[in-house]
Amino acid sequence: MVRLVKALWRGYTRMFSGWTRIALAALLGVVLGVGGFTVYYSGVTGYLGDDPATCANCHAMDEQYEAWQRGSHHDVATCNSCHAPHDNLVYKYINKADNGFWHSLKFTFQNYPENIQIREHNREITEAACLYCHGDFVDQATNSSTHKDETVSCIRCHDGVGHMR
């Protein structure tokens, strides 16, 4: 693989000579420098962790972060506990990247509603997270005669649990 990359790079750089090569090197340096600065300045590596303060980096999440601090799950769960999949590490980071992309895009263009809304697939992930932690308790509730043959939504009745309002 390394040989292939080296061969491709040599073939690519042979296409250029003289000032074109210098301009290409300068352009590559600018792209790498701006890219590195962007990664450093945005603190993107923080998004790989589990610190809820990272989710509140953009002002759009201030209300949710402050509500989580007052909520009942504050001492036992982080943002990832409820909003990231528990069943697959790869899917967890794909989901985080997907959410991060849309969050940053909407935040950059200031194109998000005043009260941010959860997307349907994130709602499903959150419902699954409820069951992940409270499965035994929920199993009793969903199999009771009151909710027999009914799809029970945790969030529908307990929407303020994670983010006390």
Side-chain angles (χ1 to χ4, degrees):
M1 182 68 172
V2 174
R3 281 184 173 177
L4 176 65
V5 170
K6 284 182 178 179
L8 289 172
W9 179 252
R10 271 190 229 115
Y12 178 71
T13 56
R14 283 186 186 146
M15 293 186 330
F16 305 100
S17 62
W19 284 106
T20 308
R21 180 175 276 185
I22 293 170
L24 178 66
L27 179 64
L28 182 63
V30 167
V31 168
L32 290 175
V34 169
F37 177 75
T38 302
V39 167
Y40 169 76
Y41 187 74
S42 68
V44 74
T45 55
Y47 291 98
L48 301 174
D50 201 33
D51 183 2
T54 304
C55 296
N57 273 347
C58 68
H59 303 293
M61 291 287 179
D62 283 347
E63 182 182 335
Q64 286 71 26
Y65 180 69
E66 291 169 10
W68 168 78
Q69 288 179 315
R70 293 189 312 268
S72 61
H73 283 73
H74 176 258
D75 293 329
V76 294
T78 64
C79 304
N80 287 323
S81 301
C82 299
H83 297 290
H86 289 262
D87 58 343
N88 184 317
L89 190 63
V90 173
Y91 181 48
K92 174 182 177 177
Y93 283 101
I94 289 172
N95 184 62
K96 286 178 73 140
D98 176 55
N99 285 329
F101 170 77
W102 287 107
H103 289 176
S104 60
L105 185 69
K106 288 184 177 282
F107 184 71
T108 300
F109 290 106
Q110 300 291 307
N111 183 19
Y112 55 89
E114 184 68 27
N115 294 320
I116 61 172
Q117 303 289 317
I118 191 169
R119 294 186 297 162
E120 186 56 34
H121 91 272
N122 285 327
R123 180 181 303 279
E124 293 169 4
I125 289 169
T126 303
E127 292 276 356
C130 295
L131 296 176
Y132 182 83
C133 294
H134 304 287
D136 292 339
F137 178 75
V138 173
D139 189 48
Q140 293 173 359
T142 55
N143 289 324
S144 70
S145 58
T146 307
H147 298 290
K148 192 96 175 158
D149 299 325
E150 180 182 336
T151 301
V152 178
S153 167
C154 305
I155 300 171
R156 187 184 71 198
C157 298
H158 304 282
D159 68 336
V161 168
H163 304 282
M164 178 182 264
R165 294 182 186 146

